[in-house]
Amino acid sequence: MMFKIVVELALVGAIASVFIVAAQGRAQEKASEEAAGRNYMRSLDEIMAKARNKKTLASWAYESNITDYNQEQQLQVSLEVAEEEKEYWKETMTYLWHEFEDEDLKRQFKKYSILGSAALPEDLNQRLINAINRMQSTYAKATICDYKNRDKCDLHVEPEVTNIFASSNDAEELKYTWLEWHKAAGAPSRQDFTEYVQMDNEAAKLNGFDSVAEWWLSEYEESDSEDQFAALWSQVKPLYLQIHAYVRRHLRLKYGEDVVSAKGPIPAHLLGNIWAQTWGNVEKFTRPYPNKQDVDVTEALISQNYTALKMFKAAEEFFTSLNLTAMPPLFWERSIIEKPDDGRDMVCHASAWDFFDGEDFRIKQCTEITKAFFTTTHHEMGHIQYYLQYKDQPTIYRAGANPGFHEAVGDVISLSVSTPKHLRKMGLLEDGPDDLESNINQLYKMGLDKIVFLPFGYILDLFRYGVFRGITSPEDYNCHFWQLRETIQGIEPPATRTEEDFDPAAKYHIASDVEYMRYYVSYIVQFQFHRSLCQLAGEYDPSDSSKLLSNCDIYRSTAAGNALGKMLQMGASKPWPDAMEVLTGQRKMDASGVLEYFQPLYQWLKQENERTGEHIGWESSNVQFCTPEQRSYMANSDFSEKLSKYSGALVD
Ligand code: X8Z
Ligand code: ZN
């Protein structure tokens, strides 16, 4: 009996050790597969840096000088790189990366497992690239005639159309210019946009997404991002409604009730910006306390002989004062910071470029000497700062924690630069009182940039999500676009619109295939970042009324700069909540930063609107942008359902 037990035990032991040896063997095998994966990833990442460098150089050459030759070169390089990416992707997918132990290595493989538009067969990829290039060049080359001098027909969006919107008080001139720009830049791209949507959706499907909407949303790495965006909108909507009502009243007083109705949406051409996305240019005649100091510094910039270069150097100095990095020599050699006057066509819309070689970083911007461009200069330099901070990360991580983070860096700096406190330090603003009325003026000016942008930033991609998902078909493009603008932004077109028009493409990012929710996200999170940086700089204390968030200047605070740098250095190596936590201790996007910043203005606007009996919100527009047929089949459509879901409770 005893003998039998011993034999049995020995047998069990032998079997177990066979299993253990087998398991050890498998573990070793896995470890060596993972080691091979690590080696492969290192070399893949280097090869991809070179490929991206080549592609970016060709795009820069094209966008800074739009010629047929440069377009063809850009196309060929893009197609070559796509082939290369496709070959490497096949190899990448032979690794069993899902089973890797190392989370970071897994993350890199996961990111490389999304091939992008290179997944398309070459002929479809070529159609996609060509459709985008045609839209982009239509936009860049679009010109209109001057209202007062109809023989002068070389007005581009930058600087001429922008300047007309910044300075004209003539409602007829503004309406004419608005209509002409949309005719020249928007309508011609309708076909190309439709082709682009088809091709890009094919690419999305080949990458495992239902449509481009889901692909874009995946960049935010959370399954409920769309709901988060909607919740943020509900948080800030009451603030928007107040500034909207206040501005409408002043526009009505200025242009008369025939042009601006008491309870309707605001006509889009009267807000100082061709897209009505920021309204800073109406500040001069809507300022809450007109007798107080003018907070605009455009005149000071001009009278102090600021040049584009001087604005860029001033921006750089702010970054270095925070112990962040100076712009490298190649930046100054290769950037284009003024519009070339040699007659070439160029994409003037400001942009910042990473060439993925750790040395070459550039800005392309048609700078004008204005406060708005001073802000844009900081915005673009914020992108370069991010590139510089994460340049030693693997190529695949050289991106923002999410696209909104990238847009927020320079804006956070501008929040300090734009304070009267800082402008005085720079000698751009004369000494003045720090009283409540001046503070309201200052907050109002910021609100015209920041609060009013939120619904605009939000709707542009609500529109495109609908298109990509097939909820909005080509026959309804313009109707749905204006339906969104009316419902969420409370604005209306200056005249009847039809499906002959295609107004979305009169905006750069639609014509150039640039995702736009990033700006909405940025305009929320930048206030979270600002609040934390101000606390680190000892410039903000919620319990001390002499230290308002809106008057915080983090200039020269290395504590703030180091904290910001730490977040930026992470690039996309971790999901964005980890990056946000490093700087703010928070893991969620939330509008409390915006609301805290604008709290005194909100109270003031509410009182003022009550005092004047202004209607809050808006009734339906009297301008036609959908036909009665379109309206009737829209009533119970998926589009309407989405619209009410994502707009918060409908206004009126
Ligand atoms: O496009 C830009 C930047 C380049 S990333 C100049 N912005 C958006 C726009 O102009 O529509 C910055 C704010 C919003
Ligand atoms: Zn940007």
Side-chain angles (χ1 to χ4, degrees):
M1 188 63 176
M2 192 65 162
F3 177 71
K4 199 175 167 219
I5 292 172
V6 170
V7 169
E8 274 175 2
L9 276 179
L11 214 61
V12 170
I15 293 168
S17 50
V18 167
F19 273 114
I20 291 168
V21 170
Q24 277 172 343
R26 179 65 197 131
Q28 262 171 11
E29 217 175 275
K30 273 177 93 170
S32 75
E33 268 173 29
E34 189 156 339
R38 189 168 290 112
N39 280 337
Y40 169 74
M41 185 47 67
R42 212 170 291 131
S43 74
L44 173 71
D45 201 70
E46 269 174 36
I47 293 164
M48 286 304 135
K50 294 215 171 64
R52 285 191 182 190
N53 174 262
K54 196 160 78 172
K55 196 169 152 175
T56 313
L57 283 167
S59 291
W60 172 276
Y62 170 55
E63 288 192 30
S64 57
N65 187 8
I66 302 178
T67 62
D68 289 346
Y69 176 80
N70 285 344
Q71 179 168 336
E72 184 57 28
Q73 289 295 107
Q74 190 263 0
L75 171 68
Q76 290 313 329
V77 172
S78 284
L79 293 175
E80 263 169 46
V81 168
E83 279 311 301
E84 201 179 338
E85 284 173 343
K86 209 181 295 187
E87 287 311 308
Y88 279 105
W89 179 83
K90 286 182 200 153
E91 194 175 341
T92 306
M93 298 316 277
T94 63
Y95 287 85
L96 299 171
W97 57 270
H98 284 282
E99 292 172 21
F100 290 171
E101 301 274 318
D102 178 345
E103 290 300 325
D104 181 65
L105 186 60
K106 239 157 97 169
R107 184 170 173 84
Q108 295 188 46
F109 267 90
K110 186 169 180 213
K111 285 190 173 281
Y112 274 118
S113 76
I114 311 281
L115 175 55
S117 49
L120 286 170
E122 194 177 71
D123 56 336
L124 299 194
N125 196 13
Q126 181 160 348
R127 278 169 63 187
L128 174 65
I129 297 169
N130 282 338
I132 296 171
N133 281 346
R134 281 194 304 270
M135 286 195 288
Q136 195 169 29
S137 102
T138 300
Y139 183 94
K141 291 182 182 174
T143 51
I144 61 167
C145 304
D146 191 87
Y147 177 67
K148 294 180 200 112
N149 178 1
R150 301 287 164 105
D151 296 333
K152 183 170 164 41
C153 294
D154 59 353
L155 276 52
H156 284 85
V157 65
E158 290 190 37
E160 292 88 359
V161 172
T162 304
N163 289 344
I164 291 168
F165 272 79
S167 59
S168 173
N169 293 317
D170 177 346
E172 283 306 312
E173 177 180 22
L174 290 166
K175 183 173 174 179
Y176 161 89
T177 310
W178 193 100
L179 292 171
E180 290 299 298
W181 172 251
H182 284 76
K183 201 189 316 172
S189 285
R190 179 178 268 273
Q191 279 310 318
D192 288 328
F193 183 78
T194 308
E195 164 109 340
Y196 147 79
V197 169
Q198 279 171 1
M199 297 302 118
D200 216 12
N201 262 343
E202 280 305 311
K205 284 178 189 133
L206 291 169
N207 283 279
F209 298 106
D210 288 345
S211 80
V212 178
E214 287 68 34
W215 185 1
W216 284 3
L217 283 162
S218 75
E219 297 270 315
Y220 296 90
E221 287 189 80
E222 310 243 296
S223 55
D224 64 344
S225 298
E226 237 178 322
D227 294 339
Q228 292 183 28
F229 301 153
L232 292 168
W233 174 238
S234 304
Q235 267 189 294
V236 294
K237 188 172 159 185
L239 180 57
Y240 179 67
L241 293 182
Q242 293 298 330
I243 200 164
H244 175 278
Y246 175 85
V247 169
R248 181 180 52 198
R249 173 168 177 270
H250 281 269
L251 291 175
R252 190 168 70 248
L253 294 174
K254 185 177 175 70
Y255 293 107
E257 196 144 350
D258 291 350
V259 184
V260 183
S261 65
K263 294 187 176 177
I266 304 177
H269 59 299
L270 303 178
L271 290 159
N273 175 280
I274 178 84
W275 308 281
Q277 66 180 66
T278 50
W279 306 350
N281 289 318
V282 305
E283 186 261 354
K284 45 189 177 296
F285 57 85
T286 60
R287 190 182 307 154
Y289 295 101
N291 300 327
K292 290 279 168 176
Q293 189 181 23
D294 185 351
V295 284
D296 192 61
V297 297
T298 295
E299 276 171 32
L301 289 168
I302 295 168
S303 70
Q304 294 183 29
N305 299 321
Y306 266 78
T307 58
L309 185 61
K310 195 169 166 187
M311 296 201 328
F312 274 75
K313 289 286 181 186
E316 183 189 41
E317 202 274 325
F318 198 107
F319 282 99
T320 53
S321 90
L322 301 176
N323 196 30
L324 290 167
T325 310
M327 298 295 109
L330 276 184
F331 171 86
W332 297 108
E333 265 173 48
R334 297 186 179 166
S335 289
I336 299 178
I337 62 171
E338 279 171 297
K339 187 169 181 165
D341 58 3
D342 53 9
R344 74 171 107 149
D345 285 309
M346 180 175 113
V347 175
C348 253
H349 190 90
S351 52
W353 299 59
D354 182 353
F355 289 79
F356 295 96
D357 65 356
E359 292 176 359
D360 196 350
F361 308 94
R362 310 180 199 170
I363 285 175
K364 182 165 62 58
Q365 179 176 302
C366 299
T367 314
E368 296 274 300
I369 310 305
T370 62
K371 172 64 186 4
F373 263 108
F374 195 43
T375 304
T376 305
T377 303
H378 289 83
H379 174 95
E380 297 306 330
M381 209 173 265
H383 286 304
I384 305 283
Q385 188 62 230
Y386 217 154
Y387 300 151
L388 289 167
Q389 293 295 332
Y390 61 51
K391 74 181 171 53
D392 297 322
Q393 289 279 358
T395 316
I396 194 72
Y397 288 159
R398 289 184 216 160
N402 74 35
F405 278 50
H406 228 302
E407 300 303 333
V409 182
D411 283 18
V412 165
I413 303 301
S414 277
L415 286 176
S416 282
V417 174
S418 303
T419 56
K421 196 194 271 181
H422 191 77
L423 295 172
R424 287 188 185 122
K425 283 181 201 158
M426 291 187 74
L428 287 170
L429 194 67
E430 282 172 14
D431 265 353
D434 245 348
D435 55 9
L436 191 68
E437 296 186 352
S438 307
N439 180 243
I440 292 296
N441 273 351
Q442 164 66 14
L443 273 178
Y444 176 67
K445 170 96 179 139
M446 294 302 286
L448 290 178
D449 270 341
K450 301 293 181 183
I451 304 169
V452 310
F453 180 80
L454 288 162
F456 179 82
Y458 185 37
I459 56 142
L460 228 56
D461 281 353
L462 288 188
F463 169 73
R464 282 189 289 191
Y465 293 164
V467 171
F468 289 132
R469 287 172 172 155
I471 291 172
T472 293
S473 23
E475 311 83 80
D476 292 324
Y477 279 166
N478 227 35
C479 158
H480 286 189
F481 180 64
W482 281 106
Q483 194 66 34
L484 280 161
R485 297 201 83 180
E486 179 190 32
T487 311
I488 298 178
Q489 229 189 331
I491 65 161
E492 64 185 12
T496 302
R497 310 305 285 158
T498 72
E499 295 301 334
E500 296 284 294
D501 305 304
F502 184 50
D503 296 328
K507 173 70 192 158
Y508 168 78
H509 304 72
I510 303 263
S512 297
D513 176 36
V514 181
E515 188 256 10
Y516 208 80
M517 203 58 88
R518 63 188 58 189
Y519 301 104
Y520 176 67
V521 168
S522 158
Y523 276 57
I524 298 283
V525 300
Q526 62 185 251
F527 287 93
Q528 293 176 265
F529 298 164
H530 181 62
R531 179 172 55 191
S532 296
L533 292 168
C534 291
Q535 275 165 340
L536 286 167
E539 277 274 307
Y540 174 53
D541 179 352
S543 62
D544 179 351
S545 62
S546 72
K547 287 191 169 170
L548 290 175
L549 187 52
S550 57
N551 202 26
C552 145
D553 175 15
I554 63 168
Y555 187 57
R556 291 197 172 143
S557 167
T558 51
N562 292 343
L564 180 59
K566 216 168 138 193
M567 178 176 82
L568 303 185
Q569 279 151 28
M570 294 167 76
S573 62
K574 294 272 162 45
W576 67 260
D578 291 10
M580 180 179 268
E581 192 171 17
V582 164
L583 177 58
T584 67
Q586 293 179 279
R587 295 185 60 83
K588 293 215 174 310
M589 295 188 271
D590 102 76
S592 66
V594 184
L595 299 178
E596 222 164 294
Y597 185 100
F598 286 109
Q599 183 59 18
L601 178 69
Y602 180 54
Q603 295 306 338
W604 187 89
L605 288 169
K606 263 202 331 207
Q607 269 179 18
E608 180 66 8
N609 287 328
E610 248 167 58
R611 187 184 69 77
T612 59
E614 188 65 23
H615 175 74
I616 306 296
W618 48 88
E619 295 171 351
S620 296
S621 170
N622 293 324
V623 181
Q624 185 174 319
F625 44 79
C626 298
T627 62
E629 295 76 51
Q630 281 177 315
R631 285 197 184 279
S632 73
Y633 65 71
M634 192 160 58
N636 289 312
S637 65
D638 290 350
F639 176 74
S640 291
E641 198 186 308
K642 283 265 178 204
L643 184 60
S644 50
K645 185 159 173 208
Y646 292 124
S647 62
L650 284 180
V651 184
D652 275 328

